[in-house]
Amino acid sequence: MLLSAIYKIWMILITSGPYILFGFMAAGLIHTFVPSDKIVTVLGKRNWRSVFLASLCGVPLPLCSCSVLPTAVTLRQKGASRGATTSFLISTPETGVDSIAMTYGMMDLTMTILRPFIAFITALFAGITVNRWGDTEEEETEKIHSCCHANNETSETVNVRPWWAETWHYAFGELSNNLAHWLALGFILSGVIAAWIPDWFFQGWVGQGFSSLLIMLIISMPMYICASGSTPIAAAMIAKGLSPGAALVFLLAGPATNIGSIPILYKILGRRSTILYLLAIIVISLYAGHLVNLYYGQNEITPTMAIEQTSGESAGIVGILSALFLLYLLIKGMWQSAVPAQWTQIGKKISSMTGIQLSWKKFSLFILIICVVSILQTCFLIVGPGEKGAIVELGKPTAVNLSPGIYMHLPYPFAQGHTLRVREIRNVDVGFRSKAAGVARTAPWDTELQILEESLYLTGDENIVDLSSQAEYRVNDAEKYLFGIADPEPIIRGAVISALTEVMAGMNIETTLTTARHTIEIEVTNRARQIINHSMPGTIELIAVRLIRIHAPAEAHQAFRDVASAEEDKERQIYEAYVETERTLHLARGEAVEIVESAEADKRARIQKAHGDTAAFKALAECDLKWPIETRMRLRFETVDYSLLPVSKTILPNDERWPDFDLWFLDSGENMVIGTDKYNE
C-alpha cells in the first residue's frame, strides 16, 4: 500500500514537475521586474480603480495567504483603501503563476482558465462590497512583520545581484523554500488519495449536488494550505469522483481563509470588512462551483486529470528530470526552512491531548520503520487459489506459472512478484470506455465515454452505424500474457474492430438495427478469434463478443428513428390489413352459411306446409262427401270470421232449418248482426 502511494506521488511529480518549475521561473521574473513598492504605489489609492488593479495584480503574484499579509499591511499603511486591500488579500493567495501552471499540468484547460478568472471576480466583488458597506472609521493598523516561516524581507533590501541571478535565487531559493513543506504535504495527500481511496468514495460520501459544495467549503475554510499545495490534492479528489465545482470551492476557499489569518484580517480591515471578506468568498465560491458543475454537465465534458493518464511507460525524459529537480528543491527547502507555525501548533495540541511529545526525530524514526516494513513486504509473493504467480529479478523472469502458495524473493526494485487470475473472465471495451462498475452515477463526467474512432462502421448499403461492443476473454498462458506481450488489450480491441469492419460491410442497415444482432455477434466472434489466434497463439481464449449498443449515429439518430417508426407503421398496417381480411372472409362465410341454412329451412317449411295443406284438403274433401251441407256452412262461417276478424260477430242461422242454434264469435270491437236472408240463398 505504501509503495503504491509512493508510486502515485512519483507519477504526480513527473506530471506536474515541468509546470511547477515554469511557474517558479515566472514568479521569479515577476519578483525581479515588479518590486513590491511599485505595487504599493499603484494600489495606494481609495477608489474603485484601485480595487480593480488590486484584483488584477494579485492573480499572478506567487504569495500564499500567510506571506501576503505583510504586503497587505504595507498597502494599508501607504493609504490603500480597505476595498483594494481586501481584493489583494483574496486574489493573491487564491492563485498565482505557479499554481496556474500546476493546474494546467494536472487538470484540464477549463479549470486552468476558470480558477484565476473566478479568483479575480471574487476579489473584485469583495473589494467593491467592502468599499461600499465596510467599516467607515479609520483605525490604526498594527504592523505585522511575520505570520509564518515565510521570508518577509521588504523591497527596501538593495538588490546587488544581476537580474537573472536574482530571478534564480528567488524562484528556486526563497519561493521554493517557502512552499516546500506545503507542496510536500500536497503531493503526499494526493498520492494517498490516488492510491488508497476508492473511485466511488467522494461520489458516495460527498455527493455531486450542492451539498458537496457546502461540505468542501466547511472542510477548506478552517485549514491552511497554499494555492500550489492545494492543486495536486484537488486533482486527486476529482480523479476519485469529486465534482469539478466542489474541487473549485476547495481551490478558492482553502488558500484564501484559515483560522490563523482571521484575527490578523480583523486588525487590518476591521470587524465589518472582515465579515464581508468571508461572505464574499463563501457566496462567490459556492455560486461559481454550482455554475462549473452545470457547465461540465450540460456540455457533457469529462474532466481529464493527469493523475489518471500518466504511467511509468509514458513518462518522458523531461518529466523525469523535472521531477528529480523538483524533489531536490522540496528536500532542500524542508531542510533549510523552519517547520510552518501551523504544523507546530498542531503538534503542540496533539502533545497536550495525548501526552506524547512529538519531534522530528521521532517522526523520522516512525517514517523509517514504516518504510522498512513496507520494503520487507515486497519480499513476499502470495499466490491465491485460481491464480498463477511469477517472479521477475532485475527485469528477467526467474519463476513463472507458480502454484498457489507463499514465495520469497529479493525486495523491490531488485525483484517483483506478479499474480494473475488465469480463469477470470476479462472484458475489453470497444467503442466506449466504462469506469468502475457498481457505482451509482448522477453526473455526466462519470458516465461511459464514447470513442467515435472505434464505434462508427460502414454497412453494405453505404450507411453508418454506431456500434459499441465488449469482448470477453480468458488467459490460457500466464507467462506469455505477462511477459510475452506488453499490452494484450489493444490487440484484442484491434481484432474486434477489424472483424466488425468486415462483418458490417456485408450487412444492410435495416437488418443491422432489427434482426441481425445475434448473427453479427457470432460472425464477429469467429473472425476476431482467428485474428487473435494468429497474433497471440495460445495466449488467450476469446470467449465471445457482445454487442452493447447498436443504433444510428447521433447526427442521424432522429432521422433513423423516424424511418424505423415508418417501417413499424407499415408492418403494423399490413398486419392490420391481414386481420381485417380474415375477419371479412369469416363474416362472409358465416353469412353464406346462414343464407343457405335459412333457405333449406324455408324449403322444408314450405314442403311441410304443402303436405299439411294437402292433408287438410283431403280431410275437408272427405267431410264434404259425407256431410256436404254442414261442411259448406262451416266454411262459410270460417270465411266470414276470417274476413271480419277485427270485430265481434253473432251469426243467427234460419230458425226453420236449424232451430234453437246460435253461433257466437267473440272479439273486441263493435257487435255486428248478420241477417238470415243472406244465408238462405
Side-chain angles (χ1 to χ4, degrees):
M1 295 293 288
L2 180 61
L3 292 179
S4 177
I6 294 175
Y7 177 78
K8 290 292 183 180
I9 294 172
W10 174 246
M11 290 296 102
I12 295 171
L13 287 172
I14 291 176
T15 303
S16 60
Y19 301 97
I20 296 177
L21 297 179
F22 172 80
F24 282 169
M25 181 59 68
L29 292 174
I30 292 174
H31 170 78
T32 302
F33 294 102
V34 186
S36 58
D37 56 350
K38 182 67 67 176
I39 297 175
V40 172
T41 303
V42 173
L43 304 182
K45 296 181 181 181
R46 305 180 184 182
N47 50 32
W48 68 269
R49 185 172 179 270
S50 65
V51 173
F52 178 82
L53 292 176
S55 303
L56 187 63
C57 293
V59 170
L61 293 179
L63 300 177
C64 61
S65 62
C66 186
S67 56
V68 75
L69 291 175
T71 307
V73 171
T74 305
L75 288 175
R76 286 290 291 146
Q77 290 177 343
K78 296 291 184 179
S81 64
R82 283 189 172 88
T85 307
T86 301
S87 300
F88 190 80
L89 283 170
I90 292 178
S91 63
T92 304
E94 283 188 344
T95 184
V97 288
D98 53 341
S99 60
I100 294 174
M102 287 184 65
T103 306
Y104 181 75
M106 305 189 70
M107 302 186 190
D108 54 7
L109 181 61
T110 304
M111 290 293 289
T112 305
I113 296 174
L114 288 176
R115 183 180 184 182
F117 176 74
I118 296 176
F120 169 77
I121 295 298
T122 306
L124 184 64
F125 174 78
I128 295 175
T129 303
V130 168
N131 269 351
R132 177 65 179 84
W133 290 289
D135 299 89
T136 58
E137 71 278 4
E138 293 296 330
E139 300 175 355
E140 183 67 23
T141 305
E142 177 182 344
K143 184 175 180 179
I144 303 172
H145 294 283
S146 177
C147 66
C148 65
H149 68 282
N151 190 343
N152 296 323
E153 296 179 5
T154 60
S155 59
E156 286 79 7
T157 303
V158 178
N159 187 1
V160 296
R161 302 188 185 93
W163 69 267
W164 54 268
E166 179 64 22
T167 300
W168 181 272
H169 173 74
Y170 179 80
F172 304 111
E174 295 182 14
L175 181 61
S176 61
N177 290 350
N178 293 340
L179 297 179
H181 290 85
W182 297 108
L183 279 177
L185 177 63
F187 286 131
I188 292 173
L189 291 179
S190 61
V192 170
I193 292 173
W196 294 353
I197 294 181
D199 294 338
W200 51 264
F201 178 81
F202 288 102
Q203 188 172 357
W205 290 94
V206 179
Q208 296 292 329
F210 191 77
S211 60
S212 65
L213 307 180
L214 293 175
I215 293 174
M216 294 309 298
L217 180 69
I218 295 173
I219 293 175
S220 59
M221 286 194 69
M223 63 183 298
Y224 174 82
I225 188 167
C226 65
S228 299
S230 63
T231 304
I233 299 176
M237 289 191 294
I238 293 178
K240 293 300 180 179
L242 187 67
S243 66
L248 184 63
V249 171
F250 176 78
L251 292 173
L252 295 175
T257 61
N258 62 81
I259 294 178
S261 64
I262 292 178
I264 303 173
L265 293 174
Y266 179 82
K267 294 180 180 180
I268 298 174
L269 302 176
R271 178 180 59 83
R272 190 185 306 171
S273 298
T274 303
I275 295 175
L276 293 175
Y277 170 91
L278 296 175
L279 287 178
I281 294 175
I282 293 172
V283 172
I284 298 297
S285 61
L286 290 178
Y287 186 69
H290 180 64
L291 291 181
V292 167
N293 281 345
L294 289 178
Y295 172 77
Y296 274 85
Q298 292 180 357
N299 293 278
E300 298 183 357
I301 300 175
T302 302
T304 56
M305 299 297 105
I307 293 176
E308 298 175 296
Q309 301 176 349
T310 304
S311 61
E313 292 79 6
S314 62
I317 186 64
V318 175
I320 294 176
L321 293 178
S322 300
L324 292 174
F325 184 58
L326 179 59
L327 188 62
Y328 161 75
L329 292 178
L330 294 179
I331 295 175
K332 178 179 71 69
M334 295 177 66
W335 181 266
Q336 294 180 354
S337 58
V339 179
Q342 291 84 356
W343 294 16
T344 305
Q345 294 174 1
I346 294 174
K348 292 179 179 179
K349 291 181 180 179
I350 295 176
S351 300
S352 62
M353 294 174 60
T354 61
I356 301 175
Q357 296 295 327
L358 298 179
S359 63
W360 276 108
K361 292 183 179 180
K362 294 181 180 179
F363 183 75
S364 302
L365 180 61
F366 176 72
I367 295 298
L368 179 62
I369 293 174
I370 292 179
C371 292
V372 171
V373 172
S374 301
I375 292 174
L376 291 177
Q377 286 181 347
T378 64
C379 297
F380 296 92
L381 173 64
I382 300 177
V383 182
E387 296 180 341
K388 291 292 184 180
I391 298 175
V392 179
E393 295 182 357
L394 299 177
K396 179 181 179 180
T398 57
V400 294
N401 293 324
L402 298 176
S403 302
I406 301 177
Y407 302 89
M408 189 172 180
H409 55 79
L410 295 176
Y412 181 85
F414 303 102
Q416 189 175 6
H418 301 273
T419 59
L420 180 67
R421 293 184 176 274
V422 292
R423 306 311 298 172
E424 180 183 10
I425 303 299
R426 304 169 185 269
N427 298 323
V428 176
D429 299 331
V430 181
F432 71 104
R433 299 293 183 270
S434 60
K435 295 200 173 183
V439 181
R441 296 177 177 84
T442 57
W445 48 84
D446 290 318
T447 56
E448 295 177 351
L449 178 63
Q450 184 182 14
I451 309 298
L452 293 178
E453 294 81 2
E454 301 176 2
S455 63
L456 298 180
Y457 298 91
L458 186 66
T459 60
D461 53 358
E462 298 183 353
N463 283 297
I464 297 177
V465 64
D466 190 349
L467 190 150
S468 299
S469 60
Q470 196 171 59
E472 300 177 353
Y473 71 96
R474 181 188 296 118
V475 178
N476 283 338
D477 192 327
E479 181 179 0
K480 291 182 179 179
Y481 186 83
L482 289 173
F483 309 113
I485 303 170
D487 191 358
E489 289 196 358
I491 300 177
I492 299 172
R493 186 176 292 110
V496 174
I497 292 174
S498 176
L500 280 170
T501 304
E502 296 178 5
V503 172
M504 296 309 300
M507 308 291 294
N508 59 64
I509 190 65
E510 294 182 0
T511 57
T512 299
L513 296 177
T514 54
T515 60
R517 186 187 189 97
H518 184 62
T519 304
I520 294 174
E521 290 180 344
I522 294 176
E523 293 187 8
V524 170
T525 300
N526 294 332
R527 292 174 183 265
R529 187 178 290 131
Q530 294 176 0
I531 298 173
I532 292 173
N533 291 338
H534 179 74
S535 303
M536 301 180 292
T539 304
I540 68 169
E541 174 191 357
L542 182 64
I543 300 175
V545 177
R546 309 294 184 190
L547 297 184
I548 306 300
R549 288 192 307 266
I550 179 168
H551 51 70
E555 295 79 2
H557 187 57
Q558 186 60 41
F560 272 87
R561 289 186 63 182
D562 294 340
V563 172
S565 298
E567 291 290 338
E568 292 176 356
D569 293 340
K570 172 186 173 182
E571 295 295 329
R572 178 179 56 80
Q573 292 176 1
I574 291 174
Y575 286 124
E576 288 178 353
Y578 286 151
V579 172
E580 183 65 22
T581 301
E582 292 296 326
R583 188 182 67 83
T584 304
L585 288 175
H586 285 297
L587 287 176
R589 292 190 183 101
E591 291 176 357
V593 171
E594 181 183 4
I595 293 172
V596 172
E597 293 297 330
S598 178
E600 290 291 335
D602 186 64
K603 171 186 174 182
R604 294 189 185 94
R606 289 176 181 272
I607 293 174
Q608 294 298 328
K609 186 177 181 301
H611 287 306
D613 292 343
T614 302
F617 185 78
K618 288 181 178 181
L620 183 61
E622 291 177 356
C623 290
D624 184 66
L625 292 176
K626 292 182 179 181
W627 302 285
I629 297 173
E630 291 80 356
T631 301
R632 292 178 183 180
M633 183 185 67
R634 182 176 63 81
L635 291 176
R636 285 180 181 180
F637 291 159
E638 289 179 356
T639 302
V640 170
D641 180 56
Y642 181 76
S643 301
L644 303 175
L645 185 62
V647 297
S648 297
K649 302 166 288 293
T650 302
I651 301 174
L652 300 177
N654 194 328
D655 291 338
E656 296 179 357
R657 299 178 63 180
W658 295 284
D660 302 328
F661 179 83
D662 294 333
L663 182 62
W664 297 81
F665 292 91
L666 300 178
D667 202 343
S668 61
E670 299 179 355
N671 294 330
M672 178 173 287
V673 179
I674 301 177
T676 58
D677 293 340
K678 181 179 179 181
Y679 300 100
N680 292 331
E681 296 178 358

